[in-house]
Amino acid sequence: MDYSYDNVVPNFRLDGRLAILTGGSGGLAQVISRALLAQGADVALIDMNLERTQNAAKELLAWGHDTLKGKHESPVGQVSAWACNIGDAESVEATFTSINEHHNNIADLLINSAGYCENFPAEEYPAANAEGIMRANGLGAFFVSQSFARPLIQNNKKGLIILIGSMSGTIVNDPQPQAMYNMSKAGVIHLVRSLACEWAKYNIRVNTLSPGYILTPLTRNVISGHSEMKEAWESKIPQKRMAEPKEFVGSILYLASDTASSYTTGHNLVVDGGYECW
Ligand SMILES: NC(=O)c1ccc[n+]([C@@H]2O[C@H](COP(=O)([O-])OP(=O)(O)OC[C@H]3O[C@@H](n4cnc5c(N)ncnc54)[C@H](O)[C@@H]3O)[C@@H](O)[C@H]2O)c1
Ligand SMILES: OC[C@@H](O)C(O)[C@H](O)CO
């Protein structure tokens, strides 16, 4: 047995890696992107609106230069910003090709954080909305995985995909009605299992990170003006509070690390303050 330091202690550095982070100007992405940069990765942010994404990229890089100076020997990574609707397969393919060309690398870490939630009673859910959310949250997760994996497979390079699911993929939230969001996230969790099995032979690991309630713009939309909603949610969480985005960084770095999670694929890592236990 090799008991050398490197064989025993996992390494969470991401030097030389090119990470693509969708939903790149969103609440969860703001902290995940900083963690990726801090660990040495180059980061390409994708979101719907170019200006917002460019602003997020500027803030990220400024944070990197202010905060990471002297923290590690490697220089602060490159950051880029891209506008793309992940529900549009052609646009996803073109964007991923441009990202790899721009960074002169093949992206080997994908974190799909793009997504949204909306509330309609199931019997009144408009068909166009149902299609829209399934396209973004469900098909979008598939399209970004395809465009990420193709060049890796062609170039025989290993890679890691983390699709952000939700506890809504395995439980039904209460009291807000969100059948299509729940269906989309259940789809993501099983998509991950399918891709993990198909792509293990290419050295591409695929996992889901499923958060519980996090304080971000997504949930603020739901609870703004409805403090009773937040109270109802928190009463059902054993830890009795919503999460902060920073509480997901450890899980992301665990799944992204080749040494810490080399034997983890097809997994749904639920981080929910204990919500699913009750
Ligand atoms: N906030 C929570 O409580 C919570 C809990 C569980 C899971 N999640 C999931 O975490 C992820 C991040 O959510 P967040 O809380 O940061 O929300 P957020 O609204 O702050 O960020 C989501 C981002 O995704 C982008 N986006 C939406 N549809 C897109 C599309 N079709 N193409 C490209 N970008 C798109 C939005 O513009 C937004 O910037 C989502 O997938 C969400 O479903 C959130
Ligand atoms: O289940 C937690 C999240 O997916 C999300 O915050 C919620 O479902 C929004 O209503």
Side-chain angles (χ1 to χ4, degrees):
M1 177 66 186
D2 175 3
Y3 291 122
S4 64
Y5 183 88
D6 287 344
N7 210 40
V8 171
V9 180
N11 177 357
F12 298 96
R13 292 290 306 170
L14 299 171
D15 303 285
R17 309 267 294 266
L18 170 57
I20 298 182
L21 175 57
T22 74
S25 60
L28 188 56
Q30 278 173 18
V31 67
I32 292 175
S33 58
R34 281 163 176 74
L36 297 173
L37 200 67
Q39 291 305 107
D42 291 340
V43 183
L45 301 177
I46 292 179
D47 210 306
M48 296 285 278
N49 179 287
L50 185 59
E51 201 183 331
R52 272 187 58 202
T53 314
Q54 283 172 333
N55 286 339
K58 252 185 234 158
E59 284 170 18
L60 171 61
L61 205 51
W63 174 87
H65 287 298
D66 286 351
T67 313
L68 301 178
K69 218 181 231 167
K71 293 272 186 223
H72 199 268
E73 65 218 26
S74 58
V76 175
Q78 304 289 311
V79 175
S80 62
W82 307 83
C84 170
N85 175 352
I86 66 159
D88 176 343
E90 273 181 31
S91 171
V92 168
E93 181 65 14
T95 304
F96 276 54
T97 303
S98 300
I99 288 173
N100 287 345
E101 281 169 10
H102 174 86
H103 286 273
N104 195 23
N105 199 350
I106 299 170
D108 56 356
L109 174 56
L110 168 66
I111 302 170
N112 184 49
S113 189
Y116 67 92
C117 187
E118 60 186 9
N119 299 141
F120 293 101
E123 68 279 14
E124 291 163 19
Y125 215 114
N129 287 68
E131 275 187 37
I133 196 166
M134 290 306 294
R135 176 160 287 281
N137 292 7
L139 286 175
F142 181 53
F143 295 151
V144 296
S145 300
Q146 280 187 310
S147 292
F148 170 80
R150 282 189 196 110
L152 292 173
I153 294 168
Q154 279 157 12
N155 290 279
N156 202 17
K157 187 178 174 188
K158 71 180 174 188
L160 191 276
I161 297 176
I162 303 169
L163 301 184
I164 305 296
S166 169
M167 67 175 181
S168 306
T170 39
I171 57 99
V172 175
N173 302 76
D174 181 54
Q176 72 279 26
Q178 49 180 52
M180 288 300 100
Y181 180 82
N182 298 350
M183 178 172 156
S184 71
K185 293 298 185 176
V188 166
I189 292 165
H190 207 51
L191 169 68
V192 158
R193 296 192 190 104
S194 309
L195 298 180
C197 292
E198 278 202 45
W199 291 346
K201 61 179 175 287
Y202 300 124
N203 269 323
I204 299 174
R205 292 188 296 115
V206 191
N207 290 292
T208 312
L209 171 59
S210 282
Y213 291 113
I214 323 165
L215 269 171
T216 66
L218 182 144
T219 45
R220 283 199 186 98
N221 280 342
V222 184
I223 58 183
S224 74
H226 300 282
S227 59
E228 75 289 351
M229 179 81 82
K230 184 167 182 281
E231 283 157 25
W233 290 354
E234 289 179 333
S235 72
K236 297 188 171 90
I237 305 168
Q239 286 189 226
K240 296 292 176 212
R241 63 174 178 84
M242 293 177 70
E244 291 180 51
K246 69 177 184 190
E247 296 184 276
F248 299 88
V249 166
S251 309
I252 291 284
L253 294 183
Y254 162 68
L255 291 172
S257 161
D258 281 339
T259 48
S261 62
S262 49
Y263 202 53
T264 303
T265 197
H267 185 57
N268 178 27
L269 179 54
V270 178
V271 180
D272 65 353
Y275 191 103
E276 293 197 14
C277 299
W278 278 349

